[in-house]
Amino acid sequence: MIERAVEEADLDHVQSVTRRLKALVEADDGDAVARLLRRDPVGCVDLWRASADHNQQLLDVLRKVGCPQAEEFARRARAVGCLPGEEYLPHGLNPDGTRAASWTWAELLAQDEC
């Protein structure tokens, strides 16, 4: 049953991937987790078909299992507005989803004068 859950899992849906990873963690099957991650769920999931909360749940479980692509997923999801980003206020995010450097309105106005 675990083999089927890993090999035939639908990787398009954020909630499906999250549920499968959580179940494999509960079953304490690290090999199955690794096999599922090798199928690249981070690259397959459709960010637009899930809420920001569901994307956050997937990010949490990816981090929990030590997925190397977890932060890539976070950057990609934040860049398109599919993850909460309140911790990045007030300076915002760069187009690639990374935290923007601090800035002031005065600095922006000074750049415009050049």
Side-chain angles (χ1 to χ4, degrees), residues 22-79:
K22 284 182 178 180
L24 294 172
V25 168
E26 278 184 29
D28 196 28
D29 194 335
D31 290 337
V33 169
R35 285 195 316 273
L36 183 60
L37 292 177
R38 278 195 296 273
R39 291 188 57 209
D40 190 26
V42 169
C44 295
V45 293
D46 185 350
L47 297 170
W48 298 104
R49 295 174 72 184
S51 69
D53 289 338
H54 290 140
N55 285 316
Q56 183 65 56
Q57 290 170 11
L58 177 56
L59 177 59
D60 292 343
V61 75
L62 289 171
R63 286 176 172 160
K64 182 177 183 177
V65 300
C67 177
Q69 293 87 13
E71 297 313 310
E72 171 194 328
F73 172 77
R75 281 190 299 277
R76 198 175 108 223
R78 283 193 182 103

Side-chain angles (χ1 to χ4, degrees), residues 20 23 37 39 45 48 55-56 87 91 96 104-105 107 110:
R20 291 205 196 279
L37 292 177
R39 291 188 57 209
V45 293
W48 298 104
N55 285 316
Q56 183 65 56
E87 68 270 20
H91 305 295
D96 67 356
T104 65
W105 287 109
E107 291 170 339

Side-chain angles (χ1 to χ4, degrees), residues 88-103:
Y88 294 104
L89 297 175
H91 305 295
L93 300 172
N94 293 317
D96 67 356
T98 59
R99 184 188 304 255
S102 62
W103 54 270

